[in-house]
């Protein structure tokens, strides 16, 4: 039997098999970390007396990743994606170890920040790998495979993390995950070296690093961090860091994102903006779901984490739907519908603050929301690569991830500040809430996080209608 030509092979054909399995394994590791850590986070924050800083534990990851994304984009465009990917995975594991051994909430947050550096390097490098190693016809399929790699972690992650947290302690969740780093490194790096290493055009002279973009990236990270700090402090003295943060953020955002992003110009700018609106609204809301179920409805960490488990499967299903060639002409409609589903899911989640509403309502709502996210997130990735020349893939992928990460930071900071302002910080009498199922009695603190995020997601439905450039 003759070997099929490369043109007819799929992502698991002989030409692409090792690379596909390798990079999907990297995403699997990130997915397992996200679902496991989210389950353990309420208990970690309680034991470190850090409930008022709960949102910081999530947003610190995204803050440092903003800088790493720009660095990774330039590094990968000039030298190839291999080195930033290897460095990123190593930093990711080191951050987990730092958080797992932390003696205070601020040290825990520092570990999350180191993780963010690693995650930012990894995600942009992966996009560059896809841009260089896969033809355009296979990119929707590999994006769908990325989404599918979240299915098992979405189920196993909360179960494993919940069991470990309840029987051994939350620290072992963080300390144990770095062991999983070995397999992705061993599988992915040799395949990337064969198919996507080195500069895009080896014959062309290597461009020097754009120091202006790196300085802007540092400004965007520092500015976002200052705004988070100001939002948590909520006093007159916090105005100074807030003003400095805005002064750093505004020129950095204008310099790092495509022109027209802020006004949702058609084409690439709207693709980049939509990614931020979708990811920020969804992640900011999702971060508070386990804490809400543990403190307001008395669920164990395991059950609270499992409330989000079905979302992994529906996210993969949504990503699979967008990858079907016959649906390509309707991609814009799929994205609009996806954002409507996301908005509806976020708005429905706080209904469980009413005791008469079954707690499984969150699981059902989140399954629909994740289906919408699967269509939207994968589609933004596909459209970005379609609109980018090979030598621009790193910079544009970094812009996409910056929009994603910055929106996560700002909306988490806003949600965390509103949560604390309405008494959410006193949910830290949560020792009894976690142990005995006693309500934290602060439903308004959670509602003020979810309902505005649903409004942001609705804005995303409008932006999704502008992702195709005028012909």
């Amino acid at each position: 039997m003759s070997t099929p030509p490369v043109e007819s092979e799929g992502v698991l054909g002989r030409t692409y098999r090792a690379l596909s399995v390798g990079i999907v394994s990297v995403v699997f590791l990130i997915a397992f970390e996200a679902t496991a850590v989210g389950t353990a986070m309420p208990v970690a924050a309680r034991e470190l007396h850090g409930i008022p800083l709960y949102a910081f534990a999530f947003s610190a990851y995204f803050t440092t990743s903003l800088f790493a994304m720009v660095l990774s984009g330039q590094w990968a465009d000039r030298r190839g994606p291999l080195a930033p990917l290897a460095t990123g995975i190593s930093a990711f594991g080191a951050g987990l170890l730092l958080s797992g051994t932390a003696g205070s909430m601020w040290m825990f947050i520092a570990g999350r920040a180191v993780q963010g550096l690693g995650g930012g390097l990894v995600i942009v490098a992966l996009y560059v790998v896809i841009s260089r190693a896969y033809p355009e016809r296979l990119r929707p399929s590999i994006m769908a495979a990325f989404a599918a790699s979240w299915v098992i972690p979405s189920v196993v992650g909360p179960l494993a993390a919940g069991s470990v947290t309840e029987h051994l302690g939350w620290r072992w969740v963080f300390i144990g995950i770095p062991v999983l780093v070995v397999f992705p490194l061993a599988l992915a790096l040799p395949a990337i070296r064969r198919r996507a290493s080195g500069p895009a055009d080896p014959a062309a002279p290597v461009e020097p690093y754009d120091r202006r973009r790196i300085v802007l990236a540092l400004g965007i990270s520092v500015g976002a961090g200052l705004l988070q700090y100001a939002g948590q402090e909520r006093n007159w003295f916090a105005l100074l860091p807030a003003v400095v943060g805005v002064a750093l953020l505004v020129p950095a955002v204008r310099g790092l994102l495509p022109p027209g992003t802020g006004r949702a110009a058609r084409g690439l700018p709207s693709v980049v903006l939509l990614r931020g609106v979708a990811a920020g609204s969804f992640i900011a809301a999702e971060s508070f779901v386990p804490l809400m179920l543990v403190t307001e409805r008395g669920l164990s960490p395991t059950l609270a984490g499992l409330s989000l488990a079905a979302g992994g499967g529906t996210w993969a299903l949504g990503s699979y739907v967008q990858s079907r060639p016959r649906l390509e002409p309707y991609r814009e409609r799929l994205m609009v519908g996806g954002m409507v589903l996301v908005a509806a899911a976020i708005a429905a989640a706080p209904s469980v603050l009413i005791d008469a509403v079954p707690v499984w309502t969150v699981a059902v709502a989140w399954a629909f929301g994740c289906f919408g996210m699967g269509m939207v997130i994968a589609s933004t990735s596909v459209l970005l690569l379609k609109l980018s020349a090979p030598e621009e893939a790193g910079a544009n992928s970094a812009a996409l991830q910056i929009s994603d990460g910055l929106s996560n930071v700002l909306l988490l900071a806003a949600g965390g500040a509103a949560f604390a302002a309405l008494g959410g910080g006193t949910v830290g009498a949560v020792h009894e809430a976690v142990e005995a199922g006693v309500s934290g009695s602060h439903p308004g603190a959670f509602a003020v996080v979810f309902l505005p995020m649903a409004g942001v997601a609705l804005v995303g439905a409008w932006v999704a209608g502008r992702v195709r450039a005028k012909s």
Side-chain angles (χ1 to χ4, degrees):
M1 183 179 294
S2 60
T3 302
V6 173
E7 289 76 11
S8 65
E9 285 190 51
V11 294
L12 291 179
R14 188 172 69 176
T15 302
Y16 303 104
R17 185 181 302 130
L19 179 62
S20 297
V21 173
I23 62 176
V24 168
S25 297
V26 173
V27 177
F28 182 91
L29 167 67
I30 294 173
F32 189 85
E33 181 274 340
T35 55
V37 166
T39 300
M41 195 73 79
V43 178
R46 181 202 72 201
E47 292 192 3
L48 294 173
H49 308 291
I51 290 291
L53 299 174
Y54 185 77
F56 246 135
F58 290 94
S59 59
Y61 178 100
F62 299 113
T63 301
T64 55
S65 70
L66 293 170
F67 172 74
M69 288 168 188
V70 176
L71 177 61
S72 183
Q74 295 207 30
W75 194 353
D77 279 344
R78 287 156 178 77
R79 302 293 181 183
L82 185 64
L85 184 64
T87 304
I89 293 176
S90 301
F92 192 79
L96 282 165
L97 291 174
L98 183 58
S99 288
T101 56
S104 68
M105 191 62 177
W106 282 113
M107 186 60 68
F108 180 87
I109 291 170
R112 294 285 291 164
V114 174
Q115 273 186 262
L117 287 171
L121 290 172
V122 168
I123 192 64
V124 172
L126 285 177
Y127 274 77
V128 177
V129 169
I130 293 169
S131 173
R132 294 190 183 182
Y134 294 91
E136 186 175 325
R137 67 180 179 83
L138 291 181
R139 291 172 189 167
S141 297
I142 195 65
M143 292 298 178
F146 277 11
S149 68
W150 282 75
V151 175
I152 294 176
S154 295
V155 177
V156 176
L159 278 174
S163 298
V164 170
T165 298
E166 291 174 25
H167 296 99
L168 297 177
W170 64 266
R171 295 181 184 277
W172 288 101
V173 174
F174 291 83
I175 294 172
I177 291 176
V179 176
L180 302 176
V181 169
V182 177
F183 178 73
L185 279 175
L187 197 58
L189 298 187
I192 293 171
R193 183 179 292 109
R194 288 192 299 270
R195 295 197 57 83
S197 62
D201 183 0
V206 178
E207 294 289 331
Y209 283 86
D210 187 339
R211 294 185 179 181
R212 176 179 171 274
R213 288 183 65 85
I214 294 177
V215 170
L216 289 175
L218 185 59
I220 208 172
S221 291
V222 174
L226 289 172
L227 282 179
Q228 291 174 75
Y229 174 79
Q232 289 292 137
E233 289 300 304
R234 306 187 321 278
N235 57 47
W236 290 107
F237 295 104
L239 285 176
L240 179 59
V243 170
V244 175
V246 171
L248 289 171
L249 271 179
V250 172
V253 169
R254 291 173 63 88
L256 293 173
L257 300 186
T261 299
R263 55 184 172 84
R266 288 191 174 274
L268 183 62
S270 283
V271 172
V272 172
L273 178 61
L274 177 61
R275 180 58 165 262
V277 170
S281 59
F282 191 79
I283 295 299
E286 186 178 63
S287 299
F288 283 86
V289 169
L291 185 66
M292 177 175 67
L293 294 177
V294 167
T295 60
E296 298 298 316
R297 295 301 296 265
L299 267 66
S300 68
T302 303
L303 290 177
L306 281 174
S307 67
L308 307 177
T314 57
W315 190 308
L317 180 61
S319 188
Y320 172 80
V321 167
Q322 66 79 37
S323 72
R324 298 300 86 199
R326 66 177 179 274
L327 293 178
E328 176 60 32
Y330 309 103
R331 185 176 295 282
E332 183 177 312
R333 295 182 188 178
L334 290 175
M335 297 169 79
V336 172
M339 287 310 303
V340 171
L341 285 175
V342 171
I346 295 173
S351 65
V352 299
L353 294 168
I354 303 170
D355 288 340
V357 176
V359 291
W360 49 258
T361 302
V362 170
V364 174
W366 227 247
F368 280 99
C370 285
F371 179 78
M373 285 292 286
M375 291 192 293
V376 172
I377 297 299
S379 290
T380 57
S381 301
V382 170
L383 287 175
L384 178 106
L385 294 177
K386 184 176 182 179
L387 296 170
S388 302
E391 66 274 10
E392 298 173 340
N396 287 345
S397 296
L400 188 75
Q401 296 303 324
I402 287 169
S403 178
D404 187 318
L406 181 61
S407 182
N408 286 336
V409 169
L410 295 181
L411 292 180
L412 272 167
F419 177 74
L422 269 72
T426 61
V427 171
V430 230
H431 189 66
E432 292 80 10
V434 174
E435 299 292 324
V438 177
S439 171
S441 300
H442 289 283
F446 289 98
V448 80
V449 173
F450 287 97
L451 298 182
M453 297 308 157
V456 173
L458 279 179
V459 172
W462 172 75
V463 177
R466 302 176 59 81
V467 295
R468 287 197 184 275
K470 289 183 179 179
S471 55

